[in-house]
Amino acid sequence: MRLVTLFALALTLSGCLVLETKQEDFYTLDTRYLQLCRGTSNTCLELALVAPGIALADPIEEAYAQQLTPPNYPLSLAKMMLDPADGSYSAKPADENGRYYVLPINDKTTVAWSTLNSIFDWIYPDDND
């Protein structure tokens, strides 16, 4: 038992055993590529999903009390998320170029994330189910 504890301690101190405990409680909106990401991770969804999945986007429109407008539904969604009509939150610039914005995790942004996920699943169904 003592040997196991020493081994675990050595791995931890050497950096080989790092437990990821960082919690990023925000979304990042990339205004150049129109992607919504979880924190600073590579877990991202393209806003372009709303174009073919516009029929499934009602939850987003209801949450934001706004309509996604043609012809560019992804840009319309980005604008909606950056500046909600009710002013319930403020997007904060994450860089000096204005490309990335930090959005809080709240009822509106969570609905947008979940809806984009649902549209993705609808477009790209998992054949393994």
Side-chain angles (χ1 to χ4, degrees), residues 48-60 68 73 115 119-120 122-123:
L49 291 166
V50 298
I54 193 65
L56 304 174
D58 290 347
I60 295 172
L68 292 166
Y73 291 115
T115 304
I119 294 170
F120 180 89
W122 174 71
I123 294 171

Side-chain angles (χ1 to χ4, degrees), residues 7-20:
F7 182 68
L9 180 62
L11 284 176
T12 302
L13 292 176
S14 69
C16 294
L17 182 66
V18 177
L19 299 176
E20 184 61 46

Side-chain angles (χ1 to χ4, degrees), residues 24-99:
E24 294 185 318
D25 292 332
F26 61 91
Y27 293 107
T28 302
L29 181 64
D30 180 339
T31 59
R32 180 175 180 192
Y33 292 110
L34 296 178
Q35 291 184 332
L36 184 63
C37 302
R38 184 64 190 234
T40 57
S41 73
N42 289 333
T43 305
C44 302
L45 293 165
E46 295 182 16
L47 302 188
L49 291 166
V50 298
I54 193 65
L56 304 174
D58 290 347
I60 295 172
E61 293 177 330
E62 290 171 13
Y64 282 89
Q66 292 177 261
Q67 296 292 308
L68 292 166
T69 56
N72 194 334
Y73 291 115
L75 186 58
S76 175
L77 176 56
K79 289 178 180 179
M80 186 184 297
M81 294 181 75
L82 287 171
D83 188 22
D86 66 359
S88 59
Y89 67 86
S90 298
K92 297 188 182 357
D95 67 345
E96 62 280 348
N97 300 324
R99 175 177 172 183

Side-chain angles (χ1 to χ4, degrees), residues 1-10:
M1 182 66 168
R2 188 176 201 187
L3 183 60
V4 172
T5 304
L6 287 174
F7 182 68
L9 180 62

